[in-house]
Amino acid sequence: MYMVLAMIGGVVGGAMSWFIRLELAVPGIQFIDDFQFYNVLVTAHGLIMVFFVVMPALIGGFGNWIVPLMIGAPDMAFPRMNNISFWLLAAALILLVTAGLIGGGPGTGWTVYPPLSNAEYHPGPAVDFAILSLHLAGASSVLGAINFITTILNMRAPGMTLHRMPLFVWSILVTAFLLLLAMPVLAGALTMLLTDRNFGTSFFDAAGGGDPILWQHLFWFFGHPEVYIMILPGFGIISQVVSTFSRKPVFGYLGMAYAMVSIGVIGFIVWAHHMYTVGLDVDTRAYFVAATLVIAVPTGIKIFSWIATMWGGSIRFDTPMLWAMGFIFLFVVGGVTGLVLANAGVDTAVHDTYYVVAHFHYVLSLGAVFSIFTAFYYWIGKMSGRRYPEMLGRIHFWITFIGVNILFFPMHFLGLQGMPRRIPDYADAYAGWNMVSSFGALVTALATVLFFFIVYRTFTAGEKVAANPWGEGATTLEWTVESPAPFHTHEEIPDMGGRQPAE
Amino acid sequence: MVNARRRNGMIAGALFVVAGGMVGLAFAAVPLYQLFCQVTGYGGTPRIGVPEKPVAATDQTITVRFDANVNSTLPWKFRPAQNEMTVRLGETVLAHFVARNVSAEPIVGTATFNVTPFKAGPYFSKVECFCFTEQSLDPGQEVAMPVSFYVDPEIYADPGTREIRTITLSYTFFRAVRDPRGKGTGAAGTDENLLSTDKGSNSPPFLTH
Amino acid sequence: MSKRLRILAPLIATCAAAGSALAAAPEPWRLGFQAAASPVMERIEELHNLLLVIITGITLFVLGLLVYVALRFNEKSNPVPSTTTHNTVIEVLWTAVPVVILMVMAVPSFKLLYFMDRAQDAEMTIKVIGHQWYWSYEYPDHGDFTFDSFMVPDDELKDGQPRLLAVDNKVVLPINTDIRVLLTSDDVLHAWAVPALITKLDAVPGRINETWMRINREGTYYGQCSELCGVNHGFMPVAVEAVSKEAFRTWVKTAKKEFARADTDVDTNLAQVAETGTGAR
C-alpha cells in the first residue's frame, strides 16, 4: 500500500520536476507563463518528493514489511495504528494536490517561509490546505514512529538483542526517534502559522511583535533531522545489501550502528546552517559551521565501513549491488559539496543558488532514491514472491546513473556562477548548462518509464523465487521465511540464541 | 502475550507523551526566543532599562547612526531628526525621530527595532523609547518621538566588538495589528512630557525641556 | 565514470584561473565563480579553491577504492570471502584522518567568517529596501535621496543590456571605498545578492541587516534576488555600477535633483528638531 502511494507520489512529483526542467531547458518563457504556477510546481515537487515519496517508500513501505521479519516478530505492534497512519498519509496527499489546484496554489517553496506564506501575501485557502496536509502527514509519521519504536523495543525474538539487530532495523529505530522529536515541532510551527493566517495571531508577523526568523529556526529544527529521516533508512538498506552481495558480515557493526545514532543526535544541533545569510550573529554562525563539519566524521565512518565490508569479499554484481555502489559514490559527491556549503563564508557565495540544488539532489534524489531502488530490487522477491528481470534491472541502473549525473552535475557550475534557485527564467548566459541538465532529465525520465515496465514484468512474468534467492551472504531473518512472506510471519518465534550474532 | 501487549501500550503511551512534549516545546520556543534575544542581545536586540549601577561616562566616543523605515501599509512619514551623533560611552543620550500621519484618518502604529552590527546589541541599552508602546497619530499630526540610550563602555573591552566605530539604530513602523480607529491622540506615549503634539500644522514641533 | 573525471579537471583549472578573467556577469558555459571584484570575494574564492582540491581528492579516493574492490574482490577473482569484521587500527584511522582534514578546512573557514563580519569603519552608507518586486535604494550620507530600481522588460531592452539582469536605475557606487550596506524589506523576505561582490544578505521586514563591501574596479555588476519572494521573484535583478570617486560625486549632484524627495516640509521641521532635540540630557 505504501509502495503504491509512493509510486503515485513519485509519478506526480517526478512529472512536476520534468515540467520544471522543460521550462528551464532554454531561456525565455516556454509554456509556463503564470509564474505563481511555477512556484506552486517547485513547492509541490519538494513537498511531494519528501513527504509522499521518500518517506512512505523507505519507512512506510520497506520499514513496515521488513522490520518485523528481521526481528522475528509476527507483525508490527499496532497493526491498526499502522492502518490509520497510511490513510492519514493518503488523505494528506489528496489535500496537498487540492491545495495546488485551488486559490492560486501555495507558491511559497517547501519551506513555507513567512511573511510570503502569510495571509497578506498568500490569501485564499491554498496555503491553509497545504498546512493541513503537512499536519496530517506529520501525524501519520508520528504514529508510525511510535509503532516502530514499540515494535523494535518490545517485540524482538528471544536472543535478538539490540546489538544483534540488523543495521536496517537500527536505522529505522533511529529514524523513528528523529520523527518522534522533529515532527511535533513542525506541527507546532505549522499551527502557529495557521493561526497567524486565520485568527489574527502574530507569531511570525513583525507588525504584531512576532519575528519571521523564528519560523526559520523552528522549521529547520524540524527540517534538518528530516533530511536524516530520509537518508538513514537508506544507510541501513545499503549496509544489508553490501554485506549480502560481498558474502561477508558488515564491517565494524557497532561503529555503524552508533554512527547512525550520532548522526541522528548531531542532526538536531545544526539547523541554522540553512540560515547563514539571514543575518545571524557571527559567533552563532561559527558554532554551526563547526557542528556541521562534525557530521562528516560519522558519515565518513559509514562510507569507509561499507568499502571495508566489500574489501576481501566475494562480490556478486546483481542489480541491488549495482544500485548500492552507485549510492555510495553519488552520496560521497553530494556529501563533499555539503562540506563546502557548511562553511558559512563560502556559503554566502552559493547560498540559494543552483549549487545548493545540486547538493541536495545528489544526497536525496540520488541518495535516498537510489536506496529505494536498491531496496526494491533486493526485497521484491521476498515481497511479491517473483523475481525481477535481471538484465532490465541492470540497464535501468546504468541509464539512471548516467541520466542523473548529466541532470545534476551541471547545476554545480550554474550555482557557482550565481544562478538563483526557484526562478522560472534565467539570464541567457546560463543557457548552455541548463540545456545539458534538461537533457539529463529526459534520460532519467526514460529510465523511470523502464522502471515501471520492470515492475509490470515482475508481477506478470517473473519467475517464482525460493525463500532465499541471494545465497549464503543473506543472513538476516527475513530470508528464513518463504517468499512471498505470509501475513503473519514467524508463527513459531525463532530463537536467536544459537545463531550467529547479526554482525 | 498479554504481558507483551501491556508493555506495548506503555511504551506507546510514553512515546505519545514525548511527542506531545515536543509540540509544547515548539510553542514554548516563542517566548523563550524573545526572552533569549532580550537577555543576550542576540540578533541585534538592544537591552532595555536603566543601568543597574550608574555607568561612568568616559571620554571614548562612538558614532550612532539612525535609520527609520515605514511599512508601506502605514501612510506615515517617519525620519530621524539627526542622521548620526557622536556619543561618549556610558553617557545617556537623547535622540529624536519625527513621525507624521499623512492620511486623513487617525492611525495607530507600532515600531520594531534593532541595532547593527548585531554583536553591538548587548552593549546598546535603551532607557526610554517611543517603541515600547503603540503610538497613535491624528490626520496630519506630527510628533517628535524621543529615545534615550547609552552605549556600555564595555564594548571596547570585548575583543569581538572593539573595532566597532559605528552603531546603527533602526526602527520600522508598522500599522498596529489591532488598530483601534479613532482612538485619542498621544495616549500611547511612554513619557508624555517628551512628546509634543502639534495637530495639522506645519510649524516645527518643540520640546518641553 | 571516467566522464566525471573529465568534468572535474577543467573545473579545477577554471577556478584557479578565474582571477584573471574580468566577468561581472554570468558567462556562457563558465564552470566556476564570476570573477571576484571585492576583497571578500577574493578570499572566498581562495578558500573555495582549497575546498575544491580536498573534496575532489576525497571523491577520487572513494571512487578509486570502489573500482579497486570491484575489480579485486569480485566473485571471479576472490571466490572465498574473508571473515574479517574488525580492525581497530584502521577504524581509528578513518575517524582521525577526517577530523584532521576537517581542521584543515575549519581554520581558514573561521578566519574568513570573522574577516567578513568585521565591522569596517565605512566611508559611506547605502540602504537597500526589497519590495515585491523591485529594489529601492537610499543614500543617507549624500542628501538622503532615494530611487527605485526595476527590471527592464524584454521588449524594452537596448543593445548590450543583458536580458533579466538589466535595470532602469542602477545603483551607482564609488570604487575603493568601504561601503556599509543596510538592508531591509517592505513586505516579504528578499535577499540582495551580487555574486562578483559577494554581497548576499536577506532582507527581513521589521529589521535591519548590515554588511559591508568594497569594489575593486569599475564596471557593472549584476545579481538577482536570492530568496523566494513570490510571483516575480525571478524578475527583480540587482545592477551595481561601480565608478571612480570623482564620477560618483558628479553623479550624486545630478541624482540629488532627479530623485529629490517630495516631502521637503518634513525636512525643514527635522532640521529644527535636530537643533533643539539632540545632545545630552
Side-chain angles (χ1 to χ4, degrees), chain A residues 106 108-120 122 127-128 130-132 134-135 185-205 211-212 214-216 218-219, chain B residues 27 30:
Chain A
T108 56
W110 85 285
T111 52
V112 212
Y113 280 178
L116 185 58
S117 55
N118 280 353
E120 203 178 325
H122 261 93
V127 174
D128 297 316
I131 291 174
L132 285 175
L134 292 185
H135 262 310
V185 176
L186 178 69
L190 285 171
T191 310
M192 291 182 224
L193 191 58
L194 203 60
T195 58
D196 266 16
R197 286 177 56 81
N198 296 313
F199 305 111
T201 58
S202 47
F203 289 106
F204 307 121
D205 182 6
D211 186 351
L214 176 64
W215 166 266
Q216 299 190 18
L218 288 174
F219 181 86
Chain B
F27 279 95
V30 178

Side-chain angles (χ1 to χ4, degrees), chain A residues 27-29 34-36 39 43 107-109 113-116 121 206 211-213 216 246-255 276-280 282-283 285-287 289-290 293-294 296-297 300-301 303-305 307-308 310-317 325 328-330 332-333 336-337 339-340 343-353 355 362 398 401-402 405-406 409 412-414 416-430 432-433 436 472 503, chain C residues 1 3-4 7-8 11 15 23 25-34 41 43-45 47-48 51-52 54-56 58-63 65-76 78-88 90-91 94-96 98-99 101-103 105-106 108-110 112-114 116-117 132-133 154 162-165 186-189 191 195 198-207 209 223-235:
Chain A
I29 303 307
D34 175 359
F35 304 133
Q36 173 68 14
N39 289 343
T43 309
T108 56
Y113 280 178
L116 185 58
Y121 302 103
D211 186 351
I213 307 298
Q216 299 190 18
S246 307
R247 285 195 267 158
K248 264 184 75 194
V250 175
F251 187 94
Y253 168 84
L254 278 185
Y276 283 147
T277 66
V278 85
L280 286 180
V282 66
D283 293 329
R285 274 179 289 162
Y287 158 75
V289 170
L293 288 176
V294 167
V297 176
I301 292 177
I303 302 277
F304 290 124
S305 294
I307 293 175
M310 292 185 239
W311 195 277
S314 178
I315 306 171
R316 262 177 46 199
F317 290 99
M325 289 188 76
I328 295 175
F329 178 68
L330 295 175
V332 168
V333 175
V336 291
T337 55
L339 284 179
V340 174
N343 296 284
V346 179
D347 181 69
T348 314
V350 287
H351 184 85
D352 257 325
T353 66
Y355 194 88
Y362 261 87
W398 284 110
F401 186 80
I402 293 167
N405 278 303
I406 300 175
F409 209 82
H412 291 119
F413 310 141
L414 290 171
L416 289 176
Q417 272 262 57
M419 178 172 161
R421 289 169 75 171
R422 296 166 169 171
I423 53 172
D425 191 8
Y426 46 82
D428 299 345
Y430 297 126
W433 288 122
V436 174
E472 56 180 305
E503 63 173 293
Chain C
M1 289 207 187
K3 209 180 109 282
R4 305 179 49 77
I7 292 176
L8 279 174
L11 176 61
C15 287
E27 289 170 22
W29 298 106
R30 194 181 167 84
L31 300 172
F33 284 124
Q34 295 181 23
M41 190 57 207
R43 279 166 205 243
I44 287 186
E45 212 170 289
L47 176 61
H48 179 260
L51 293 176
L52 193 63
I54 295 177
I55 66 170
T56 312
I58 297 174
T59 311
L60 293 183
F61 177 65
V62 173
L63 180 63
L65 284 177
L66 282 175
V67 171
Y68 182 78
V69 293
L71 296 177
R72 173 69 187 75
F73 298 109
N74 62 39
E75 220 174 359
K76 287 189 199 97
N78 191 34
V80 184
S82 79
T83 50
T84 324
T85 57
H86 285 292
N87 184 332
T88 313
I90 194 145
E91 284 181 63
W94 74 43
T95 312
V99 172
I101 294 176
L102 289 180
M103 299 293 262
M105 291 167 64
S109 173
F110 285 138
L112 170 71
L113 185 57
Y114 282 89
M116 288 168 75
D117 187 68
Q132 274 180 329
W133 292 272
D154 289 5
R163 202 176 64 88
L164 300 178
L165 294 177
D186 186 44
D187 34 51
V188 302
L189 299 175
I198 195 50
T199 309
K200 182 183 284 160
L201 199 58
D202 287 6
V204 183
R207 148 177 172 145
N209 270 346
Q224 285 169 279
C225 175
S226 292
E227 182 71 68
L228 183 61
C229 58
V231 177
N232 288 330
H233 162 59
F235 307 96

